[in-house]
């Protein structure tokens, strides 16, 4: 621990999947934590001890509040921080990086900069953002110079929502600074927060590290998805092939096919890298484009397989009750941003299916404008469907129960392996 006798103040900008766990951990480690959040309803919920992030329990949140954690949307509360960490969203807008939240977070923090303080960006973004975009905003708003008067760095987030084994605490954290002193300051801060830091040479390297990790995953999922589609046409069970290949103890890494990628990372982050590459070199990043295409086409593939299974039962999609198991994009989480269940539901509903979705992990969906209704997890709902589609292998979706009660199944995750059921697997 690097804690000095006086309590250090941490400001975290953005209290979402990334910012809230950081705020909780820092409070636990003795920091005075100010959690700035633009959404007033989120601030109210936090102040009331109600967590909206799956990985943070109400008990954890309440313990942090008891230690002085202050959730707020009042910028004045940012005054006097020693370290500020920016954890705001970096989405795509019409296929292009949208850095407006980083810009506004920078403008918010800048007036409160003091000599010797440290600012770290955690949002996933293209290499160059910290030095080219954030530094000038902080300098203009403070009159101070990055790397001279205050420290500036970048540290990519590796939060894997729902992962109980690897958390913020025990996942190594890559850290960087715009100067050696900046790196030392950023490293000292994260050494209070996580078990192991991994210093790199500069902020662009740290920014690109994150994009490499996510692009690697995106490309490999696309490879295995394409293989799954072709293996079926060749009459080969791709799942058994993957298991066999995974017995190789070196040089192979297991990826499994699925109905598409979702969440805030894989469908978005690789495009930050390809945008930067194309902007700088004029050349397309072909692997990223190919992976985007292949992964985005998977809901269409699932739609075709559902259509053909119903057809075998002399049923049309039109009028069929299709039960999608899973709105979240992956097992064990409530995160349904960019979930492949959404485009699949659109396709089915455009073909006039009666689409119902079951996801006990996502309890309060505002169904306004969504092309489906929601139903609870029950044998009756399984039996009432013309076809049940396993989109996500949530632990509650008991495979034997699905096999027993669903009249027809399309299993996009091989969740029912070993069960006897009517239907097909991706
Ligand atoms: N969720 C993940 O698993 C994950 C993993 C690694 C990296 N990331 C990256 O981390 C960043 C944050 O992602 P997240 O999942 O925490 O997003 P999130 O949407 O859960 O949280 C972001 C929060 O910031 C708030 N916000 C938006 N603009 C703001 C502003 N100008 N000032 C203050 N608050 C603002 C939002 O209301 C929201 O509560 C993104 O760049 C994302 O790509 C996310």
């Amino acid at each position: 621990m690097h804690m000095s006798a006086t309590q250090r103040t941490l400001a975290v900008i953005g209290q979402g999947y990334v910012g809230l766990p950081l705020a909780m951990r820092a409070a636990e480690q003795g920091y005075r934590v100010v959690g700035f959040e633009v959404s007033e309803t989120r601030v109210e919920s936090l102040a009331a001890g109600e967590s909206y992030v799956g990985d943070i329990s109400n008990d954890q949140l309440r313990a942090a509040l008891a230690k002085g954690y202050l959730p707020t949307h009042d910028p004045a509360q940012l005054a006097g921080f020693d370290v500020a960490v920016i954890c705001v969203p970096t989405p795509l807008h019409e296929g292009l990086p949208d850095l407006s939240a980083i810009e506004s977070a920078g403008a918010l923090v800048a007036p409160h900069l003091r000599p010797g303080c440290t600012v770290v960006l955690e949002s996933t973004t293209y290499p160059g953002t910290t030095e080219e975009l954030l530094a000038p905003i902080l300098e203009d708003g403070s009159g101070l110079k990055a790397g001279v008067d205050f420290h500036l760095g970048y540290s990519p987030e590796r939060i894997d929502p729902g992962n109980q084994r690897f958390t913020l605490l025990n996942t190594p954290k890559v850290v960087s600074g715009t100067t050696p002193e900046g790196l030392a300051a950023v490293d000292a801060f994260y050494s209070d927060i996580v078990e192991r830091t991994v210093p790199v040479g500069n902020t662009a390297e740290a920014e690109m590290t994150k994009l490499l990790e996510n692009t690697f995953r995106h490309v490999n999922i696309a490879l295995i998805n394409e293989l799954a589609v072709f293996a079926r046409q060749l009459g080969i069970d791709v799942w058994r092939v993957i298991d066999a290949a995974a017995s190789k103890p070196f040089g192979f890494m297991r990826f499994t096919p699925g109905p598409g990628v979702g969440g805030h990372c894989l469908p978005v982050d690789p495009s930050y890298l390809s945008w930067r590459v194309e902007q700088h070199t004029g050349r397309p990043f072909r692997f990223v484009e190919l992976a985007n295409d292949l992964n985005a086409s998977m809901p269409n593939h699932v739609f075709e397989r559902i259509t053909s299974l119903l057809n075998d039962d002399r049923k049309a999609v039109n009028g069929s009750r299709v039960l999608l198991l899973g709105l979240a994009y992956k097992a064990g989480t409530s995160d349904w941003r960019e979930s492949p269940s959404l485009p699949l539901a659109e396709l089915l509903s455009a073909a006039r299916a009666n689409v119902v979705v079951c996801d006990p992990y996502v309890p309060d969906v505002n169904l306004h404008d969504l092309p489906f209704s929601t139903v609870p997890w029950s044998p009756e709902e399984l039996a009432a469907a013309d076809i049940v589609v396993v989109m996500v292998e949530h632990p509650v979706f008991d495979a034997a129960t699905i096999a027993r009660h669903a009249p027809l199944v399309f299993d996009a995750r091989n969740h029912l392996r070993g069960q006897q059921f009517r239907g097909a697997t991706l």
Side-chain angles (χ1 to χ4, degrees), residues 231-424:
R232 186 179 160 271
Q233 289 167 7
L234 295 173
I236 296 169
D237 183 334
V238 73
W239 300 90
R240 288 213 286 259
V241 172
I242 295 165
D243 283 348
S247 67
K248 186 179 180 188
F250 50 88
F252 182 80
M253 190 179 283
R254 183 191 174 88
F255 286 87
T256 49
V261 294
H264 197 36
C265 294
L266 296 196
V268 175
D269 301 349
S271 298
Y272 267 73
L273 185 54
S274 58
W275 177 83
R276 179 63 162 185
V277 166
E278 187 144 16
Q279 191 210 31
H280 257 246
T281 70
R283 294 175 57 194
F285 198 139
R286 289 173 294 168
F287 265 108
V288 171
E289 293 185 354
L290 186 59
N292 279 343
D293 264 8
L294 287 166
N295 288 333
S297 73
M298 289 311 287
N300 294 67
H301 175 74
V302 174
F303 174 73
E304 283 165 21
R305 300 286 302 276
I306 293 169
T307 308
S308 113
L309 281 171
L310 287 170
N311 187 57
D312 291 346
D313 267 4
R314 298 171 173 249
K315 286 180 179 170
V317 174
N318 188 343
S320 286
R321 186 176 174 90
V322 183
L323 170 57
L324 305 186
L325 293 181
L327 178 58
Y329 78 96
K330 75 169 178 178
T333 84
S334 61
D335 191 353
W336 55 286
R337 296 176 296 184
E338 316 282 337
S339 165
S341 291
L342 297 170
L344 178 61
E346 297 275 357
L347 289 166
L348 288 164
S349 127
R352 300 185 172 247
N354 174 12
V355 187
V356 286
V357 175
C358 166
D359 197 326
Y361 283 79
V362 191
D364 307 311
V365 183
N366 178 357
L367 290 170
H368 185 65
D369 280 347
L370 289 177
F372 55 82
S373 52
T374 54
V375 293
W377 164 249
S378 75
E380 291 75 27
E381 285 298 343
L382 294 169
D386 292 295
I387 185 167
V388 172
V389 186
V390 182
M391 294 296 284
V392 151
E393 64 279 42
H394 278 327
V396 291
F397 294 155
D398 179 59
T401 307
I402 299 170
R404 192 170 332 121
H405 296 280
L408 185 64
V409 179
F410 181 68
D411 182 0
R413 298 284 184 179
N414 200 19
H415 182 52
L416 270 56
R417 64 186 153 267
Q419 304 284 337
Q420 294 285 339
F421 66 99
R422 271 195 83 232

Side-chain angles (χ1 to χ4, degrees), residues 13-19 36-39 42 87-90 101 104-105 123-124 157 159 161 210 264-265 269 337:
I13 317 300
Q15 296 289 276
Y17 287 89
V18 170
F36 182 88
E37 168 56 57
V38 278
S39 154
R42 287 198 150 191
C87 308
V88 295
T90 42
S104 65
S123 303
T124 303
E157 188 42 61
I159 291 275
K210 172 73 189 177
H264 197 36
C265 294
D269 301 349
R337 296 176 296 184

Side-chain angles (χ1 to χ4, degrees), residues 4-193:
S4 56
T6 53
Q7 194 183 26
R8 305 231 299 153
T9 297
L10 169 70
V12 183
I13 317 300
Q15 296 289 276
Y17 287 89
V18 170
L20 189 59
L22 174 67
M24 297 297 97
R25 175 69 184 150
E28 215 175 85
Q29 291 295 81
Y31 279 80
R32 189 180 86 83
V33 182
V34 177
F36 182 88
E37 168 56 57
V38 278
S39 154
E40 290 194 27
T41 49
R42 287 198 150 191
V43 172
E44 280 164 21
S45 166
L46 291 172
E50 302 288 340
S51 170
Y52 44 79
V53 169
D55 289 341
I56 299 298
S57 68
N58 290 346
D59 285 349
Q60 256 176 303
L61 173 57
R62 286 168 193 179
L65 287 164
K67 285 192 155 197
Y69 162 61
L70 178 69
T72 181
H73 47 78
D74 175 8
Q77 299 287 352
L78 293 173
F81 66 78
D82 299 292
V83 179
V85 182
I86 298 175
C87 308
V88 295
T90 42
L92 293 171
H93 184 66
E94 292 175 355
L96 301 176
D98 174 2
L99 298 179
S100 55
I102 296 183
E103 289 168 357
S104 65
L108 196 79
V109 166
H112 303 290
L113 288 180
R114 297 176 304 164
C117 75
T118 302
V119 179
V120 189
L121 179 62
E122 284 208 14
S123 303
T124 303
T125 182
Y126 59 76
T129 306
T130 306
E131 292 221 22
E132 295 167 22
L133 181 94
L134 184 57
I137 293 172
L138 295 173
E139 291 173 345
D140 289 351
S142 66
L144 301 176
K145 191 101 188 84
V148 177
D149 304 311
F150 66 95
H151 303 301
L152 178 60
Y154 179 85
S155 177
E157 188 42 61
R158 283 172 166 167
I159 291 275
D160 182 17
N163 192 330
Q164 320 248 308
R165 180 156 170 239
F166 291 110
T167 60
L168 172 63
L169 183 61
N170 64 0
T171 306
K173 199 139 179 21
V174 171
V175 294
S176 68
T178 58
T179 58
E181 297 73 25
L183 171 61
V186 174
D187 191 37
F189 167 66
Y190 284 106
S191 298
D192 283 344
I193 302 295

